[in-house]
Amino acid sequence: EAGVAQSPRYKIIEKRQSVAFWCNPISGHATLYWYQQILGQGPKLLIQFQNNGVVDDSQLPKDRFSAERLKGVDSTLKIQPAKLEDSAVYLCASSPRDRGSYNEQFFGPGTRLTVL
Amino acid sequence: QKEVEQNSGPLSVPEGAIASLNCTYSDRVSQSFFWYRQYSGKSPELIMSIYSNGDKEDGRFTAQLNKASQYVSLLIRDSQPSDSATYLCAAGGGGNKLTFGTGTQLKVEL
């Protein structure tokens, strides 16, 4: 079974530029998550989708970050404009259909973003 | 504010010893708990999940949960140099959301 796919793996941009990340979850997984992981910290949830609907985006900086999952499968996360503090690894994870709290999440390889 | 606390380490153990990693959580509503291993420059990899009080064993790994004390631990028996990584503890609450700790760095020395 193929894992979570993400691209690009690395991205370097200058502040105020825009960037987009793509994620394709494990086949059949209904729930998709985007996390931000800053060096030395645990992953922080940015947004959670159930199929193509947003479940939780309470920690997404909506003035600069946006995300969509139009057909309930793959997803894109965009930052516009980027700030220096956005330098981090952006992780996508997916989990099977909703089973309450007992839903294991599986991570993709991540995209390492450097903002100069 | 839901929190998951871990000692950042590094925790150093000799090869062949038992490594004990600990985690506490603040939200009593949390029902599921996960341990992820993260090698430097890589993404988190799920190694254990536990939902009920007590112990759960999988190979060299044993997860322990004590909901009364809001405490989760991971024991790694016969530690190997390949176990050297950061171990992330995560607590799951309503809506399938996970709250992660900052991770404990484990170093297994030859």
Side-chain angles (χ1 to χ4, degrees):
Chain A
E1 178 181 72
V4 177
Q6 289 188 249
S7 68
R9 295 294 309 279
Y10 306 91
K11 191 73 176 179
I12 300 174
I13 62 173
E14 296 191 349
K15 61 182 179 183
R16 291 187 290 274
Q17 287 188 323
S18 63
V19 64
F21 313 127
W22 174 83
C23 171
N24 193 42
I26 294 171
S27 178
H29 280 198
T31 310
L32 184 149
Y33 312 80
W34 283 102
Y35 288 88
Q36 179 193 60
Q37 186 175 24
I38 293 172
L39 187 65
Q41 299 181 19
K44 183 186 84 171
L45 180 68
L46 293 175
I47 189 167
Q48 176 185 348
F49 292 95
Q50 179 76 25
N51 296 309
N52 62 348
V54 175
V55 175
D56 184 353
D57 63 357
S58 59
Q59 298 194 84
L60 187 73
K62 298 180 186 64
D63 58 334
R64 298 184 301 106
F65 286 64
S66 64
E68 60 183 11
R69 191 184 186 198
L70 291 176
K71 296 183 179 179
V73 180
D74 57 350
S75 175
T76 56
L77 175 69
K78 298 179 181 178
I79 308 175
Q80 181 178 10
K83 293 185 175 182
L84 297 177
E85 58 262 35
D86 298 332
S87 293
V89 176
Y90 291 85
L91 296 162
C92 180
S94 70
S95 60
R97 291 188 64 82
D98 183 12
R99 291 191 296 128
S101 298
Y102 306 94
N103 226 346
E104 297 174 338
Q105 296 183 21
F106 301 92
F107 285 86
T111 297
R112 184 175 300 275
L113 173 67
T114 302
V115 182
L116 302 176
Chain B
Q1 179 79 6
K2 301 175 184 177
E3 293 184 345
V4 175
E5 301 286 342
Q6 295 181 258
N7 188 318
S8 62
L11 172 66
S12 293
V13 300
E15 183 178 7
I18 296 175
S20 179
L21 304 161
N22 305 314
C23 169
T24 60
Y25 60 95
S26 63
D27 187 1
R28 289 191 170 274
V29 178
S30 298
Q31 298 178 40
S32 54
F33 304 88
F34 305 89
W35 284 99
Y36 285 82
R37 178 175 61 198
Q38 187 170 29
Y39 292 113
S40 180
K42 301 295 185 181
S43 63
E45 174 193 8
L46 180 65
I47 55 172
M48 288 289 287
S49 58
I50 187 166
Y51 311 123
S52 304
N53 278 329
D55 295 359
K56 179 182 178 182
E57 186 175 320
D58 184 0
R60 295 187 297 113
F61 299 99
T62 298
Q64 300 174 317
L65 174 59
N66 183 326
K67 290 186 178 180
S69 300
Q70 296 178 240
Y71 180 88
V72 192
S73 65
L74 179 70
L75 301 178
I76 306 175
R77 289 182 298 281
D78 188 24
S79 295
Q80 301 297 309
S82 58
D83 295 325
S84 297
T86 295
Y87 288 80
L88 297 164
C89 174
N96 307 322
K97 291 184 287 187
L98 293 185
T99 300
F100 283 85
T102 56
T104 297
Q105 184 184 6
L106 174 66
K107 293 185 176 180
V108 180
E109 300 169 332
L110 295 170

